Amino acid sequence: MNEDVRAATESPRGNATADRTDDRAPTISVIVPAYNKPEHLPECLRSIQAQTFADWECIVVDDCSPQGEEIRQVVEGMQDSRFRLVRHERNRGLAAARNTGVRSAKAELLLWIDEDDLLKPRCLEVLKREMEATGAEIVHPQLDFIGKSNWRMRVPAREEVLVDTSLASSGYLIRRQVWEKLGGMDEAEILRLGREDHEWWIRVIHSEVRIV
């Protein structure tokens, strides 16, 4: 693992793909970067804990938040060994936090959400079932936004995605091999102002990953 990262509940891992030989790997790893909204984190984690599909782990990545102690207390307060905490020793941004979470993850299926997101109780169950039924590499959810109309996903064409995308920044189920094939999310400083997801989807669409 990068020297700027330390795990709060496990020994450090390598910088390439995760070492997943210690225990039986869960089916899904949920990754939650945390930085400036720890007041929303308990509800987010409870929504993960309430999933009807129970074979998951959750890695919370503290991106060197000034409220790191509060984040640690929230994770420990879940009293559930499926939750793990990893902390960056310096602030590195959302893309780096997601990459760190993937490198720490044990599962072959990944899902990242933000600390102020909530999963509906059957989310993991439904996304996994759809992935198995279709053989897709990414399964995109239909999203609900509080106070706004629902988000209806449409996969953009190669040319369209350069301008805009209707694809969400989080909440989709993705096979680890896609993340590995694309080299993870781009951690470039210029992308840290909300551009990292658009850049990621450009590469996904142009690599012709199957999305449903």
Side-chain angles (χ1 to χ4, degrees):
M1 180 173 286
N2 188 291
E3 64 181 356
D4 292 313
V5 181
R6 64 178 173 82
T9 58
E10 61 175 8
S11 59
R13 296 180 180 275
N15 220 359
T17 57
D19 175 8
R20 301 186 294 280
T21 60
D22 48 354
D23 299 313
R24 188 190 67 81
T27 301
I28 299 174
S29 293
V30 182
I31 295 151
V32 185
Y35 182 69
N36 62 353
K37 298 178 182 178
E39 68 275 13
H40 296 294
L41 187 59
E43 192 173 8
C44 173
L45 299 190
R46 284 195 295 269
S47 79
I48 297 169
Q49 194 173 46
Q51 291 299 297
T52 55
F53 181 80
D55 189 21
W56 52 263
E57 65 170 355
C58 176
I59 299 99
V60 177
V61 183
D62 173 2
D63 191 22
C64 198
S65 170
Q67 297 168 285
E69 178 59 22
E70 186 174 345
I71 292 171
R72 183 189 66 79
Q73 290 177 3
V74 169
V75 175
E76 290 184 354
M78 298 305 296
Q79 297 184 327
D80 188 330
S81 62
R82 292 175 296 178
F83 290 97
R84 292 189 282 133
L85 178 64
V86 174
R87 177 175 169 83
H88 285 168
E89 292 300 326
R90 61 182 175 87
N91 179 253
R92 296 171 54 199
L94 180 61
R98 288 176 179 168
N99 286 340
T100 291
V102 174
R103 293 186 184 106
S104 300
K106 298 177 181 179
E108 295 299 328
L109 302 181
L110 311 167
L111 183 145
W112 49 72
I113 59 173
D114 297 333
E115 61 192 317
D116 58 351
D117 290 340
L118 300 175
L119 297 183
K120 291 185 176 181
R122 296 181 62 235
C123 177
L124 298 184
E125 174 190 345
V126 170
L127 294 180
K128 175 179 175 290
R129 185 174 64 216
E130 185 70 12
M131 180 169 278
E132 290 173 342
T134 63
E137 295 169 284
I138 295 178
V139 178
H140 193 289
Q142 302 296 348
L143 306 179
D144 293 333
F145 290 91
I146 297 174
K148 299 181 181 179
S149 59
N150 293 349
W151 180 306
R152 304 327 256 175
M153 186 273 288
R154 181 180 66 84
V155 179
R158 290 167 64 96
E159 297 77 16
E160 289 179 296
V161 75
L162 295 174
V163 179
D164 198 5
T165 176
S166 62
L167 298 169
S169 59
S170 61
Y172 49 88
L173 189 65
I174 178 172
R175 297 184 188 273
R176 176 187 288 271
Q177 64 192 33
V178 174
W179 180 87
E180 292 176 342
K181 179 173 70 173
L182 296 178
M185 298 197 74
D186 193 328
E187 301 178 16
E189 189 72 23
I190 195 172
L191 299 175
R192 287 186 58 173
L193 298 176
R195 301 185 182 94
E196 53 272 273
D197 290 307
H198 192 184
E199 189 280 334
W200 165 256
W201 281 121
I202 289 173
R203 285 189 287 134
V204 169
I205 297 298
H206 281 249
S207 67
E208 300 183 342
V209 170
R210 188 179 179 206
I211 306 171
V212 298

